Amino acid sequence: AQSVTQLGSHVSVSEGALVLLRCNYSSSVPPYLFWYVQYPNQGLQLLLKYTSAATLVKGINGFEAEFKKSETSFHLTKPSAHMSDAAEYFCAVKGGTASKLTFGTGTRLQVTL
Amino acid sequence: GAVVSQHPSRVICKSGTSVKIECRSLDFQATTMFWYRQFPKQSLMLMATSNEGSKATYEQGVEKDKFLINHASLTLSTLTVTSAHPEDSSFYICSASRFDRGIADTQYFGPGTRLTVL
């Protein structure tokens, strides 16, 4: 069984500031981890994924995430926020060969001037 | 690559009618597709897992007779909401699973369908 906890349902940053969205996971088998972004009234877009090849994963739009097994974390970061980054972000985990994704509750990122 | 489409993007229907939503993987074949439901400001709730050529597997609490799923080909899955009622109004999102680089399968999502039942 697996689960995901996203700390902070709402995060607000200034444009140009560091973005840090937190995700902690629990999995009984080696996990595969994903970050998705959802803009209003749209589906989910894959930002990046961890599949055990490298612990630091780079994704689209300047985002990256680091897999830390000791901390069971997969936090999403971006050095400099842009207004267009305002959206809902979901962390998800898949346990081994299981096909289902387990999603976190989401974090809404607000970017202010 | 990995584009998934949904049709229609928005539908309004009267109570008691049935609505069909299509999910297509446009540039890859997907043996497995998923259907989710999303309530306002909430996360995605998995409704069912659809495998090509076999019956869908429904999550606990999802009425299989109300939400009919058909996965007739490797690029098309359909969700039919039968005898829709206002409480079925929601945002429905599908995803298609693609096996990436022999490592793990990744779900790619469609743009969603907003269903409003009057």
Side-chain angles (χ1 to χ4, degrees), chain B residues 2-5 23-31 33 71 73-77 94 96-97:
Chain B
V3 179
V4 177
S5 70
C23 177
R24 294 181 185 271
S25 55
L26 298 184
D27 52 1
F28 67 100
Q29 294 183 329
T31 54
M33 290 185 171
H71 194 158
S73 76
L74 289 173
T75 59
L76 174 63
S77 177
C94 73
S97 187

Side-chain angles (χ1 to χ4, degrees), chain A:
Chain A
Q2 55 260 3
S3 65
V4 172
T5 301
Q6 290 186 242
L7 293 175
S9 59
H10 184 256
V11 170
S12 182
V13 300
S14 300
E15 190 174 34
L18 171 72
V19 175
L20 171 61
L21 304 182
R22 300 178 185 275
C23 173
N24 288 88
Y25 70 91
S26 171
S27 179
S28 56
V29 297
Y32 297 116
L33 294 155
F34 306 81
W35 275 101
Y36 289 90
V37 61
Q38 184 180 32
Y39 297 98
N41 297 309
Q42 294 187 28
L44 276 67
Q45 180 182 11
L46 179 67
L47 275 178
L48 48 80
K49 61 184 178 182
Y50 166 75
T51 57
S52 76
T55 57
L56 182 62
V57 182
K58 294 188 184 298
I60 63 172
N61 301 340
F63 284 94
E64 63 180 38
E66 186 172 8
F67 173 72
K68 292 187 177 180
K69 184 178 179 180
S70 61
E71 299 177 8
T72 61
S73 68
F74 189 58
H75 302 331
L76 182 71
T77 60
K78 181 175 180 177
S80 177
H82 192 271
M83 296 297 289
S84 61
D85 295 326
E88 188 85 19
Y89 291 80
F90 292 97
C91 181
V93 64
K94 189 172 83 72
T97 57
S99 61
K100 288 193 242 184
L101 280 177
T102 299
F103 283 90
T105 51
T107 297
R108 180 165 298 276
L109 176 65
Q110 180 182 20
V111 182
T112 59
L113 289 172

Side-chain angles (χ1 to χ4, degrees), chain A residues 36 38 41 43 49 100 104, chain B residues 38 43 59 100 106-107 114:
Chain A
Y36 289 90
Q38 184 180 32
N41 297 309
K49 61 184 178 182
K100 288 193 242 184
Chain B
Q38 187 178 33
S43 188
E59 295 299 300
D100 287 341
T106 300
Q107 288 187 35
R114 173 77 58 193

Side-chain angles (χ1 to χ4, degrees), chain B:
Chain B
V3 179
V4 177
S5 70
Q6 267 183 257
H7 178 79
S9 59
R10 184 181 296 268
V11 57
I12 301 173
C13 68
K14 293 182 179 180
S15 186
T17 61
S18 294
V19 175
K20 180 185 282 188
I21 303 170
E22 290 187 351
C23 177
R24 294 181 185 271
S25 55
L26 298 184
D27 52 1
F28 67 100
Q29 294 183 329
T31 54
T32 305
M33 290 185 171
F34 303 84
W35 287 95
Y36 295 84
R37 185 173 178 175
Q38 187 178 33
F39 293 100
K41 301 186 186 303
Q42 294 189 27
S43 188
L44 281 72
M45 181 191 80
L46 179 65
M47 298 174 66
T49 302
S50 168
N51 289 295
E52 186 266 338
S54 63
K55 290 184 178 180
T57 302
Y58 290 82
E59 295 299 300
Q60 192 171 11
V62 177
E63 298 176 61
K64 58 182 66 177
D65 294 331
K66 180 165 192 60
F67 298 100
L68 300 179
I69 292 172
N70 182 272
H71 194 158
S73 76
L74 289 173
T75 59
L76 174 63
S77 177
T78 60
L79 167 69
T80 301
V81 183
T82 62
S83 187
H85 288 91
E87 58 266 30
D88 299 323
S89 298
S90 192
F91 193 55
Y92 293 87
I93 309 176
C94 73
S95 71
S97 187
R98 188 180 79 173
F99 203 69
D100 287 341
R101 296 185 180 180
I103 298 175
D105 56 290
T106 300
Q107 288 187 35
Y108 294 91
F109 287 79
T113 297
R114 173 77 58 193
L115 171 63
T116 303
V117 185
L118 303 176

